[in-house]
Amino acid sequence: MSAMPSPRKKVGVLALQGDFEAHAKALERAGAEPVLVNRAGDLEGIDALVIPGGESTTMLKLIGETGMKEPLADFTAKKPVFGTCAGAILLAKEVTNPEQFSFGAVDLSIERNAYGRQVDSRVATIEPGEEFAKRAGEGGVEAVFIRAPIIRRTGPGVRVLAEYAGDPVLVEQGKHLIATFHPELTSDPRIHRLFLTKI
Amino acid sequence: MLLKDEQYRLKVGLAEMLKGGVIMDVVNAEQAVIAEKAGAAAVMALERVPADIRKEGGVARMSPVSKIREIQAAVSIPVMAKARIGHFMEARILEALAVDYIDESEVLTPADEEHHIDKRDFKVPFVCGARNLGEALRRIAEGAAMIRTKGEAGSGNIVEAVRHIRTIVKEMKQLTVLGREELVHEAKNLQAPLEMVEYVAAHGKLPVPNFSAGGIATPADAALVMQLGAEAVFVGSGIFKSADPEARAKAIVKATTYYRDPVKLLEASEDLGMAMPGLDISKLPEGELMQTRGW
């Protein structure tokens, strides 16, 4: 008898607004089974969650209206969550420009649209530190910043995995991962794979 | 090649972030704040909403600069603005203002009846309207990073947007079953570059996000175009020409997320007050159609 392949990990992608389909494809490339989540019941049976890029104000509005605030807060207390751009804003402890509600899962302060408007969006190659190289693989990472936020403060429990222009852009705290850029818009699977190791 | 260019990827990237969202037409800061609070993913600044342009006539131009600044200062979501077809100087001014997206729009009076703007040369991304696949691919080849159906703006009537999204989706499906030599012939029929035609044949979709606009007035209208293949919606006159703009804006946001769920759509459709008045497009004189502007 041949060995059964180990079942793929089920990873939810919050599918209220934004580039959730790009994340679903990136998760598939990284070897997971993506599940689109747009109601509280969808959180049952998934091993982790991705909060994608998009407009954080729109997502917050829909989270509030559809009664997902509490279930999402419960989920982040128990299981790994990966937030990119708008998702990073939703997971932060403190949000500025302007101030708004966030889940506070990662001890950092983040400023929205901190690089400026779309004309200030950019693609940069960043060089992550040794920790990233050891756990995710060697080499630079192509980072796509779109109307991106900047992390202005990180708490003592937060580990910075990569910086760009002196600011942290890829960080982790325990089971949670945060990127202010969009790894889902490139074909490099390393960051999504790194997230899967947290399950 | 355009599609691999770094700047172009950033432009398409912002369109990716707007997927599943609603982009709302606004004429001032007060409306922009209502739109943002209701959950709009972006706002579109213009001088007058299409229903008023239709009623009042005259030349419709780019929004006054002071209004755009006022809107940019009032909200944290992306701010788009419209420029006239072919009016690359209006577009340069909008770029200098750092709007997040420019809509080269048939809703405004065209400035050039033969040429659209060469959009490759700008740092700001562009969205353009299309009625069929050939038109969509010509605009992308010129550098547009997002396509929307034209529909018939300011009509409150969804029939044209439905015709356009169905046409684009059907024409894309047809390409996927053709052989390479047939694609060359189709490029000729579509009057579109072969490179773009081959992309669609290989992927079954446009190389940029495909949104819908032109006549969306109710949550059901938004859900309908999403079901037909649109990836986000633009609402022009439909919100601020209705009886209760705030409630309607929220309802259309909800309907665009939950377009597959009739129970959520029913919830979104309750207690909205009157929708904007609608027009029978078959009774409009040809000269009053906006969708036939541009090619």
Side-chain angles (χ1 to χ4, degrees):
Chain A
M1 254 174 71
S2 62
M4 293 285 288
S6 62
R8 291 192 299 163
K9 287 164 183 164
K10 277 193 183 179
V11 179
V13 185
L14 190 65
L16 295 171
Q17 191 275 320
D19 73 334
F20 48 85
E21 279 176 5
H23 266 292
K25 284 187 190 134
L27 285 166
E28 264 180 11
R29 284 196 295 270
E33 179 187 343
V35 179
L36 296 184
V37 170
N38 65 19
R39 64 194 67 223
D42 298 338
L43 292 167
E44 285 161 31
I46 56 173
D47 303 310
L49 180 71
V50 174
I51 305 184
E55 282 307 313
S56 60
T57 51
T58 303
M59 290 185 209
L60 277 177
K61 186 83 207 162
L62 286 159
I63 287 169
E65 278 213 359
T66 54
M68 287 183 76
K69 213 172 193 171
E70 294 267 310
L72 280 172
D74 289 349
F75 191 90
T76 57
K78 288 184 212 128
K79 291 187 176 170
V81 183
F82 175 25
T84 61
C85 198
I89 293 166
L90 291 190
L91 290 177
K93 188 160 188 185
E94 190 189 3
V95 182
T96 60
N97 189 34
E99 283 181 25
Q100 63 188 39
F101 170 84
S102 55
F103 286 99
V106 180
D107 185 12
L108 55 83
S109 169
I110 199 163
E111 180 185 340
R112 289 182 59 203
N113 300 327
Y115 294 93
R117 297 187 172 276
Q118 173 64 12
V119 288
D120 305 300
S121 291
R122 64 198 70 187
V123 180
T125 301
I126 56 173
E127 299 296 336
E130 272 177 34
E131 178 72 17
F132 181 88
K134 200 166 65 194
R135 283 159 57 197
E138 302 275 342
V141 169
E142 188 185 36
V144 182
F145 295 93
I146 296 174
R147 286 175 47 94
I150 293 180
I151 295 171
R152 296 296 187 194
R153 178 195 66 82
T154 53
V158 174
R159 179 191 274 146
V160 175
L161 296 170
E163 291 185 342
Y164 165 67
D167 297 305
V169 294
L170 180 68
V171 308
E172 65 181 352
Q173 181 173 23
K175 53 194 179 298
H176 302 316
L177 185 65
I178 295 268
T180 59
F181 56 95
H182 295 282
E184 73 280 13
L185 294 185
T186 67
S187 53
D188 182 349
R190 284 178 295 166
I191 294 177
H192 284 83
R193 277 193 199 138
L194 176 69
F195 178 59
L196 297 181
T197 65
K198 292 174 169 294
I199 297 172
Chain B
M1 183 186 161
L2 176 69
L3 302 179
K4 295 224 162 78
D5 176 76
E6 197 168 274
Q7 274 301 319
Y8 189 68
R9 284 176 54 211
L10 282 172
K11 294 173 176 178
V12 175
L14 180 55
E16 294 285 339
M17 298 309 141
L18 296 168
K19 279 184 177 176
V22 182
I23 300 141
M24 301 184 191
D25 275 7
V26 298
V27 300
N28 56 37
E30 187 194 347
Q31 291 186 352
V33 169
I34 293 173
E36 183 177 49
K37 282 198 178 136
V43 290
M44 172 77 71
L46 74 177
E47 188 185 22
R48 295 173 279 170
V49 294
D52 287 335
I53 292 172
R54 200 174 272 292
K55 202 160 65 191
E56 292 159 14
V59 174
R61 310 181 179 94
M62 174 185 98
S63 175
V65 166
S66 59
K67 287 285 174 198
I68 298 172
R69 282 195 198 282
E70 165 190 321
I71 292 165
Q72 285 176 317
V75 296
S76 65
I77 55 180
V79 175
M80 308 186 177
K82 287 186 192 286
R84 285 180 263 180
I85 290 175
H87 205 317
F88 54 85
M89 286 322 297
E90 279 189 350
R92 285 294 178 201
I93 292 169
L94 293 174
E95 181 175 55
L97 260 174
V99 302
D100 295 297
Y101 241 95
I102 296 173
D103 184 358
E104 186 185 19
S105 176
E106 70 283 359
V107 168
L108 305 186
T109 312
D112 189 323
E113 295 187 330
E114 280 177 28
H115 309 97
H116 285 255
I117 298 169
D118 179 1
K119 295 165 274 285
R120 290 168 293 193
D121 200 25
F122 283 75
K123 212 168 172 210
V124 172
F126 280 75
V127 51
C128 287
R131 296 193 295 165
N132 53 53
L133 183 60
E135 193 173 8
L137 296 181
R138 287 192 290 278
R139 296 294 85 77
I140 296 168
E142 290 163 358
M146 180 202 300
I147 291 297
R148 55 169 177 77
T149 59
K150 284 181 167 175
E152 187 58 34
S155 71
N157 189 337
I158 196 68
V159 66
E160 295 302 308
V162 167
R163 190 192 319 282
H164 301 161
I165 193 84
R166 277 206 185 269
T167 302
I168 291 171
V169 170
K170 184 175 86 184
E171 289 176 335
M172 290 196 293
K173 280 186 199 156
Q174 286 167 342
L175 289 185
T176 62
V177 296
L178 298 181
R180 286 180 67 178
E181 73 285 9
E182 291 173 301
L183 293 177
V184 180
H185 183 69
E186 272 311 302
K188 176 184 157 214
N189 286 343
L190 290 167
Q191 299 178 42
L194 179 60
E195 174 197 37
M196 296 289 164
V197 172
E198 286 178 335
Y199 181 95
V200 174
H203 297 86
K205 61 197 281 295
L206 296 179
V208 304
N210 184 17
F211 293 2
S212 187
I216 294 163
T218 68
D221 289 346
L224 177 64
V225 290
M226 290 295 286
Q227 287 267 358
L228 292 175
E231 295 174 302
V233 301
F234 287 80
V235 187
S237 319
I239 289 169
F240 289 100
K241 286 290 160 187
S242 73
D244 186 348
E246 213 172 320
R248 189 161 293 265
K250 271 191 208 166
I252 293 177
V253 168
K254 197 167 168 187
T256 304
T257 293
Y258 293 101
Y259 66 90
R260 289 195 184 93
D261 182 339
V263 176
K264 284 258 197 314
L265 292 174
L266 170 63
E267 281 168 25
S269 305
E270 305 231 40
D271 302 323
L272 291 182
M274 285 290 284
M276 70 177 282
L279 295 173
D280 181 349
I281 288 158
S282 64
K283 302 245 163 56
L284 286 180
E286 197 131 317
E288 287 184 19
L289 290 179
M290 291 175 172
Q291 58 175 281
T292 50
R293 297 164 166 181
W295 56 280

